[in-house]
């Protein structure tokens, strides 16, 4: 009977140790990098290059001294548009869910497309995280900026692109 009690105690101890191990109480190594958590953006800069038209555009939206601005530069034709916008317009672009955006617009860098458009992006977030890279299609963000700019008479895109 003593052997059965000792065996049951050992089995119970092993079961507890195994349960603790499987419950995730182990430590992670110091070189583990978690995925960054993005929040609202402070500023967005997208350099759009390529395409069949050989575009070379820089799209920006930012806040400066309590004012909000949209700008786009056509570096190919040396054209520039700068427009002060409302806080609401600014937030309509900067306060989207970037976690979801990045999940849905990941660029497939294994696929090579002739005359593809590339977006080198720098986004500064309010939580002091900065994303910089070419990993995402940013056309939706560019279209949002373009739609805001088109509300203003001073943003004339008639001869801007070509």
């Amino acid at each position: 009977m003593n052997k059965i009690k000792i065996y049951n105690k050992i089995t119970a101890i092993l079961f507890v140790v195994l349960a603790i191990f499987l419950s995730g109480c182990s430590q992670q190594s110091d070189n583990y990098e978690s995925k960054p958590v993005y929040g609202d953006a402070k500023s967005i800069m997208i350099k759009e290059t390529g395409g069949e038209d050989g575009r070379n555009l820089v799209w920006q939206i930012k806040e400066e001294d309590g004012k909000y601005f949209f700008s786009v530069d056509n570096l190919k034709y040396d054209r520039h548009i700068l427009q002060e916008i409302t806080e609401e317009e600014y937030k309509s672009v900067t306060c989207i869910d970037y976690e979801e955006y990045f999940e849905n617009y990941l660029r497939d860098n294994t696929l090579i497309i002739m005359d593809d458009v590339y977006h080198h992006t720098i986004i500064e977030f309010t939580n002091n995280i900065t994303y910089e890279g070419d990993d995402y299609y940013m056309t939706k963000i560019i279209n949002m900026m373009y739609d805001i700019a088109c509300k203003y008479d001073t943003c004339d895109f008639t001869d801007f692109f070509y």
Side-chain angles (χ1 to χ4, degrees):
M1 186 92 169
N2 283 339
K3 286 184 180 182
I4 294 175
K5 285 183 179 181
I6 292 173
Y7 176 76
N8 286 344
K9 285 185 180 182
I10 291 173
T11 303
I13 292 170
L14 289 174
F15 180 74
V16 169
V17 169
L18 181 61
I20 290 171
F21 179 74
L22 293 176
S23 71
C25 292
S26 62
Q27 293 181 351
Q28 294 179 351
S29 66
D30 289 340
N31 61 4
Y32 172 78
E33 289 186 33
S34 64
K35 183 178 173 185
V37 177
Y38 300 106
D40 293 343
K42 289 192 292 191
S43 66
I44 302 170
M45 189 281 304
I46 303 166
K47 184 167 185 186
E48 183 179 29
T49 57
E52 62 185 34
D53 56 353
R55 69 188 68 180
N56 192 0
L57 306 169
V58 179
W59 301 86
Q60 293 187 61
I61 196 165
K62 63 183 176 179
E63 181 267 333
E64 231 176 63
D65 299 324
K67 294 182 179 183
Y68 305 94
F69 297 95
F70 157 82
S71 70
V72 61
D73 292 296
N74 186 328
L75 302 177
K76 184 176 179 181
Y77 295 113
D78 194 28
R79 295 189 180 120
H80 178 74
I81 293 175
L82 175 65
Q83 177 63 50
E84 185 174 349
I85 60 175
T86 68
E87 180 179 9
E88 183 179 292
E89 291 167 333
Y90 167 81
K91 286 186 175 182
S92 72
V93 178
T94 59
C95 295
I96 67 170
D97 184 345
Y98 281 93
E99 303 288 339
E100 182 180 331
Y101 188 90
F102 287 160
E103 284 180 24
N104 292 324
Y105 293 96
L106 181 64
R107 180 181 193 83
D108 180 1
N109 288 321
T110 63
L111 183 64
I112 305 296
I113 301 173
M114 285 292 271
D115 297 330
D116 200 0
V117 175
Y118 294 91
H119 299 126
H120 181 78
T121 306
I122 301 173
I123 303 176
E124 295 178 1
F125 292 93
T126 56
N127 59 359
N128 295 322
I129 292 177
T130 299
Y131 166 79
E132 180 173 0
D134 308 315
D135 302 320
Y136 302 100
Y137 292 106
M138 301 304 288
T139 306
K140 181 177 177 180
I141 303 295
I142 290 170
N143 287 339
M144 292 169 77
M145 289 187 210
Y146 178 80
D147 289 345
I148 290 168
C150 286
K151 294 177 185 178
Y152 295 91
D153 293 337
T154 55
C155 293
D156 184 8
F157 288 97
T158 306
D159 294 322
F160 185 80
F161 295 107
Y162 306 104

